[in-house]
Amino acid sequence: MIVRDIQDVPAVVEHGVEGVTARWPIREEDGAPHFAMRVFDVAQGVSTPLHEHWWEHEVYVLAGQGYVEGPEARHELRPGTVVFVPGGEQHHFVNAGAEPLRFICLIPHRWLEGVKREA
Amino acid sequence: MIVRDIQDVPAVVEHGVEGVTARWPIREEDGAPHFAMRVFDVAQGVSTPLHEHWWEHEVYVLAGQGYVEGPEARHELRPGTVVFVPGGEQHHFVNAGAEPLRFICLIPHRWLEGVKREA
């Protein structure tokens, strides 16, 4: 098994947005066969870009306050909020609080694009 | 998208062990195509069973203290510890602290058993 403290995993700027960083504590290169774990930090007043992609997100909010916004609604985020964003749905995460917004966000590996359960 | 507070998701006894409960905030039935999110609570002094299975675990410790033990080593757990347990490796999670041990644990859906990346 692999055991890491999240703070020992390097934070890199994500989406080219100053104030959005991601750590990747579990990647395909670690031998994870299906999906990767990332931990995002979004600075006060900052938003991830409104975007969409084929892959889904499974999110758990660790710290901070804000909201996630899709095409139809805005939902509050606080510690313990869980978000499932299906593939193909527009979304962005916004820090509307006074401290960093930190959340886990898991995504499938790229090879799973188009791989579906047999009927 | 689906947004839930983790405390609104029912906790069910897991592994038949009193003192081990799991919440399943994101399941295949929610439309999640590849993997599920669970949140475990392990009571003080309690351990999950030492066991193994084909699927991997991706774990993030939210609260509490304890350790995860595999065939070769014991690793300390505290908030922010990330654990990757590959499929086929024995493991158990032990609460060795004074408060509940809570961790997120993601697993692939069953249909992914044997589904591999093409070389």
Side-chain angles (χ1 to χ4, degrees):
Chain A
M1 64 180 68
I2 297 171
V3 181
R4 296 181 170 136
D5 189 278
I6 191 62
Q7 294 306 118
D8 294 336
V9 178
V12 294
V13 172
E14 194 84 8
H15 299 302
V17 176
E18 195 70 32
V20 178
T21 60
R23 300 169 200 265
W24 290 69
I26 305 177
R27 316 179 67 133
E28 194 163 12
E29 295 84 337
D30 292 312
H34 304 109
F35 54 95
M37 182 185 288
R38 296 108 43 97
V39 174
F40 278 79
D41 286 299
V42 179
Q44 190 179 359
V46 173
S47 170
T48 63
L50 186 66
H51 71 321
E52 64 182 86
H53 37 64
W54 69 266
W55 60 90
E56 73 274 20
H57 284 326
E58 299 196 14
V59 166
Y60 186 102
V61 178
L62 296 169
Q65 306 278 335
Y67 58 87
V68 58
E69 195 165 33
E72 291 173 11
R74 174 183 290 199
H75 303 272
E76 188 188 346
L77 302 176
R78 59 185 178 204
T81 304
V82 173
V83 184
F84 171 64
V85 183
E89 185 170 309
Q90 274 203 325
H91 59 281
H92 65 158
F93 290 84
V94 181
N95 183 345
E99 55 177 310
L101 176 66
R102 172 170 277 200
F103 55 89
I104 302 174
C105 180
L106 294 111
I107 55 171
H109 295 334
R110 288 178 185 270
W111 71 267
L112 280 165
E113 182 176 5
V115 178
K116 295 202 186 299
R117 179 180 186 158
E118 288 179 30
Chain B
M1 66 180 67
I2 296 171
V3 181
R4 296 181 168 136
D5 189 279
I6 190 63
Q7 294 306 120
D8 295 335
V9 179
V12 294
V13 172
E14 194 84 11
H15 299 303
V17 176
E18 196 69 31
V20 178
T21 62
R23 299 169 200 267
W24 290 68
I26 305 177
R27 317 178 65 133
E28 194 163 13
E29 294 84 338
D30 293 312
H34 303 108
F35 54 94
M37 181 185 289
R38 295 109 44 95
V39 175
F40 278 80
D41 286 298
V42 180
Q44 189 179 358
V46 173
S47 170
T48 63
L50 185 66
H51 71 321
E52 64 182 87
H53 37 63
W54 69 266
W55 59 90
E56 72 274 19
H57 284 326
E58 299 196 14
V59 166
Y60 186 100
V61 178
L62 296 169
Q65 307 278 334
Y67 58 87
V68 56
E69 194 166 32
E72 291 173 8
R74 174 183 290 199
H75 302 273
E76 188 188 346
L77 302 175
R78 59 184 180 207
T81 303
V82 173
V83 184
F84 171 65
V85 182
E89 185 170 308
Q90 274 204 325
H91 58 281
H92 65 158
F93 291 83
V94 181
N95 183 345
E99 55 177 311
L101 176 66
R102 173 171 275 200
F103 55 88
I104 301 172
C105 180
L106 293 112
I107 55 172
H109 295 333
R110 288 179 184 269
W111 71 268
L112 279 165
E113 181 176 5
V115 178
K116 294 200 184 304
R117 180 179 187 159
E118 288 180 30

PDB file of all heavy atoms in Angstrom, chain A residues 3 6 10 19 23 25 30 35 42 45 59 62 64 68 89 96:
ATOM      1  N   VAL A   3       1.042   5.167   1.519  1.00  0.00           N
ATOM      2  CA  VAL A   3       0.486   6.050   2.552  1.00  0.00           C
ATOM      3  C   VAL A   3       1.217   7.385   2.481  1.00  0.00           C
ATOM      4  O   VAL A   3       2.454   7.414   2.479  1.00  0.00           O
ATOM      5  CB  VAL A   3       0.632   5.423   3.955  1.00  0.00           C
ATOM      6  CG1 VAL A   3       0.026   6.346   5.009  1.00  0.00           C
ATOM      7  CG2 VAL A   3      -0.027   4.050   4.001  1.00  0.00           C
ATOM      8  N   ILE A   6      -1.253  14.446   3.021  1.00  0.00           N
ATOM      9  CA  ILE A   6      -1.623  15.317   1.896  1.00  0.00           C
ATOM     10  C   ILE A   6      -0.694  16.528   1.799  1.00  0.00           C
ATOM     11  O   ILE A   6      -0.401  17.003   0.682  1.00  0.00           O
ATOM     12  CB  ILE A   6      -3.115  15.741   1.985  1.00  0.00           C
ATOM     13  CG1 ILE A   6      -3.564  16.418   0.693  1.00  0.00           C
ATOM     14  CG2 ILE A   6      -3.388  16.599   3.205  1.00  0.00           C
ATOM     15  CD1 ILE A   6      -3.496  15.541  -0.539  1.00  0.00           C
ATOM     16  N   PRO A  10       3.035  17.731  -3.570  1.00  0.00           N
ATOM     17  CA  PRO A  10       3.188  19.088  -4.116  1.00  0.00           C
ATOM     18  C   PRO A  10       1.869  19.643  -4.658  1.00  0.00           C
ATOM     19  O   PRO A  10       1.085  18.930  -5.285  1.00  0.00           O
ATOM     20  CB  PRO A  10       4.195  18.902  -5.257  1.00  0.00           C
ATOM     21  CG  PRO A  10       4.858  17.596  -5.009  1.00  0.00           C
ATOM     22  CD  PRO A  10       3.894  16.747  -4.243  1.00  0.00           C
ATOM     23  N   GLY A  19      -4.465  30.999  -7.716  1.00  0.00           N
ATOM     24  CA  GLY A  19      -5.369  30.826  -6.588  1.00  0.00           C
ATOM     25  C   GLY A  19      -6.119  29.505  -6.622  1.00  0.00           C
ATOM     26  O   GLY A  19      -6.895  29.223  -5.714  1.00  0.00           O
ATOM     27  N   ARG A  23      -3.394  19.065  -5.576  1.00  0.00           N
ATOM     28  CA  ARG A  23      -2.445  17.999  -5.218  1.00  0.00           C
ATOM     29  C   ARG A  23      -3.033  16.710  -5.773  1.00  0.00           C
ATOM     30  O   ARG A  23      -4.252  16.538  -5.771  1.00  0.00           O
ATOM     31  CB  ARG A  23      -2.299  17.897  -3.699  1.00  0.00           C
ATOM     32  CG  ARG A  23      -1.790  19.178  -3.054  1.00  0.00           C
ATOM     33  CD  ARG A  23      -1.920  19.140  -1.527  1.00  0.00           C
ATOM     34  NE  ARG A  23      -1.876  20.471  -0.979  1.00  0.00           N
ATOM     35  CZ  ARG A  23      -0.781  21.064  -0.509  1.00  0.00           C
ATOM     36  NH1 ARG A  23       0.357  20.420  -0.488  1.00  0.00           N
ATOM     37  NH2 ARG A  23      -0.828  22.295  -0.047  1.00  0.00           N
ATOM     38  N   PRO A  25      -2.634  13.089  -4.766  1.00  0.00           N
ATOM     39  CA  PRO A  25      -2.009  12.078  -3.894  1.00  0.00           C
ATOM     40  C   PRO A  25      -2.083  10.646  -4.424  1.00  0.00           C
ATOM     41  O   PRO A  25      -1.269   9.816  -4.024  1.00  0.00           O
ATOM     42  CB  PRO A  25      -2.797  12.212  -2.588  1.00  0.00           C
ATOM     43  CG  PRO A  25      -4.106  12.800  -2.972  1.00  0.00           C
ATOM     44  CD  PRO A  25      -3.805  13.715  -4.133  1.00  0.00           C
ATOM     45  N   ASP A  30       0.843   5.656  -9.725  1.00  0.00           N
ATOM     46  CA  ASP A  30       1.005   4.970  -8.437  1.00  0.00           C
ATOM     47  C   ASP A  30       0.477   3.536  -8.488  1.00  0.00           C
ATOM     48  O   ASP A  30       0.541   2.820  -7.495  1.00  0.00           O
ATOM     49  CB  ASP A  30       0.244   5.730  -7.338  1.00  0.00           C
ATOM     50  CG  ASP A  30       0.867   7.086  -7.052  1.00  0.00           C
ATOM     51  OD1 ASP A  30       2.096   7.154  -6.888  1.00  0.00           O
ATOM     52  OD2 ASP A  30       0.107   8.080  -7.002  1.00  0.00           O
ATOM     53  N   PHE A  35      -9.122   5.171 -11.076  1.00  0.00           N
ATOM     54  CA  PHE A  35      -9.433   6.583 -10.841  1.00  0.00           C
ATOM     55  C   PHE A  35      -8.354   7.231  -9.983  1.00  0.00           C
ATOM     56  O   PHE A  35      -7.577   6.544  -9.315  1.00  0.00           O
ATOM     57  CB  PHE A  35     -10.821   6.743 -10.222  1.00  0.00           C
ATOM     58  CG  PHE A  35     -11.067   5.958  -8.965  1.00  0.00           C
ATOM     59  CD1 PHE A  35     -10.893   6.536  -7.722  1.00  0.00           C
ATOM     60  CD2 PHE A  35     -11.475   4.626  -9.020  1.00  0.00           C
ATOM     61  CE1 PHE A  35     -11.127   5.813  -6.561  1.00  0.00           C
ATOM     62  CE2 PHE A  35     -11.715   3.896  -7.866  1.00  0.00           C
ATOM     63  CZ  PHE A  35     -11.541   4.494  -6.634  1.00  0.00           C
ATOM     64  N   VAL A  42      -8.896  26.376  -3.305  1.00  0.00           N
ATOM     65  CA  VAL A  42      -9.339  27.560  -4.045  1.00  0.00           C
ATOM     66  C   VAL A  42      -9.265  28.741  -3.081  1.00  0.00           C
ATOM     67  O   VAL A  42      -9.873  28.710  -1.998  1.00  0.00           O
ATOM     68  CB  VAL A  42     -10.774  27.373  -4.581  1.00  0.00           C
ATOM     69  CG1 VAL A  42     -11.237  28.619  -5.332  1.00  0.00           C
ATOM     70  CG2 VAL A  42     -10.855  26.133  -5.475  1.00  0.00           C
ATOM     71  N   GLY A  45     -12.338  34.261  -2.783  1.00  0.00           N
ATOM     72  CA  GLY A  45     -12.789  35.085  -3.904  1.00  0.00           C
ATOM     73  C   GLY A  45     -12.508  34.505  -5.281  1.00  0.00           C
ATOM     74  O   GLY A  45     -12.856  35.118  -6.292  1.00  0.00           O
ATOM     75  N   VAL A  59     -16.846  14.638  -5.377  1.00  0.00           N
ATOM     76  CA  VAL A  59     -16.245  15.698  -4.564  1.00  0.00           C
ATOM     77  C   VAL A  59     -16.695  15.573  -3.114  1.00  0.00           C
ATOM     78  O   VAL A  59     -17.868  15.259  -2.839  1.00  0.00           O
ATOM     79  CB  VAL A  59     -16.665  17.078  -5.131  1.00  0.00           C
ATOM     80  CG1 VAL A  59     -16.360  18.211  -4.153  1.00  0.00           C
ATOM     81  CG2 VAL A  59     -15.991  17.325  -6.479  1.00  0.00           C
ATOM     82  N   LEU A  62     -13.715  19.562   2.315  1.00  0.00           N
ATOM     83  CA  LEU A  62     -12.960  19.392   3.556  1.00  0.00           C
ATOM     84  C   LEU A  62     -12.987  20.643   4.425  1.00  0.00           C
ATOM     85  O   LEU A  62     -13.010  20.540   5.660  1.00  0.00           O
ATOM     86  CB  LEU A  62     -11.504  19.046   3.229  1.00  0.00           C
ATOM     87  CG  LEU A  62     -11.290  17.717   2.505  1.00  0.00           C
ATOM     88  CD1 LEU A  62      -9.845  17.630   1.999  1.00  0.00           C
ATOM     89  CD2 LEU A  62     -11.612  16.545   3.421  1.00  0.00           C
ATOM     90  N   GLY A  64     -13.785  25.259   4.412  1.00  0.00           N
ATOM     91  CA  GLY A  64     -14.161  26.480   3.719  1.00  0.00           C
ATOM     92  C   GLY A  64     -15.634  26.537   3.359  1.00  0.00           C
ATOM     93  O   GLY A  64     -16.426  25.650   3.701  1.00  0.00           O
ATOM     94  N   VAL A  68     -21.065  25.522  -5.609  1.00  0.00           N
ATOM     95  CA  VAL A  68     -20.852  24.917  -6.916  1.00  0.00           C
ATOM     96  C   VAL A  68     -22.056  25.307  -7.757  1.00  0.00           C
ATOM     97  O   VAL A  68     -23.190  25.314  -7.273  1.00  0.00           O
ATOM     98  CB  VAL A  68     -20.678  23.387  -6.806  1.00  0.00           C
ATOM     99  CG1 VAL A  68     -21.874  22.708  -6.153  1.00  0.00           C
ATOM    100  CG2 VAL A  68     -20.415  22.769  -8.185  1.00  0.00           C
ATOM    101  N   GLU A  89     -21.600  17.852 -17.934  1.00  0.00           N
ATOM    102  CA  GLU A  89     -22.385  18.920 -17.300  1.00  0.00           C
ATOM    103  C   GLU A  89     -21.469  20.071 -16.896  1.00  0.00           C
ATOM    104  O   GLU A  89     -20.469  19.874 -16.214  1.00  0.00           O
ATOM    105  CB  GLU A  89     -23.113  18.361 -16.071  1.00  0.00           C
ATOM    106  CG  GLU A  89     -24.045  19.377 -15.428  1.00  0.00           C
ATOM    107  CD  GLU A  89     -24.942  18.747 -14.358  1.00  0.00           C
ATOM    108  OE1 GLU A  89     -25.596  17.724 -14.641  1.00  0.00           O
ATOM    109  OE2 GLU A  89     -24.955  19.274 -13.227  1.00  0.00           O
ATOM    110  N   ALA A  96     -16.604  31.461  -1.734  1.00  0.00           N
ATOM    111  CA  ALA A  96     -17.333  32.665  -1.320  1.00  0.00           C
ATOM    112  C   ALA A  96     -17.161  32.913   0.175  1.00  0.00           C
ATOM    113  O   ALA A  96     -17.920  33.694   0.763  1.00  0.00           O
ATOM    114  CB  ALA A  96     -18.813  32.512  -1.664  1.00  0.00           C
TER     115      ALA A  96
END
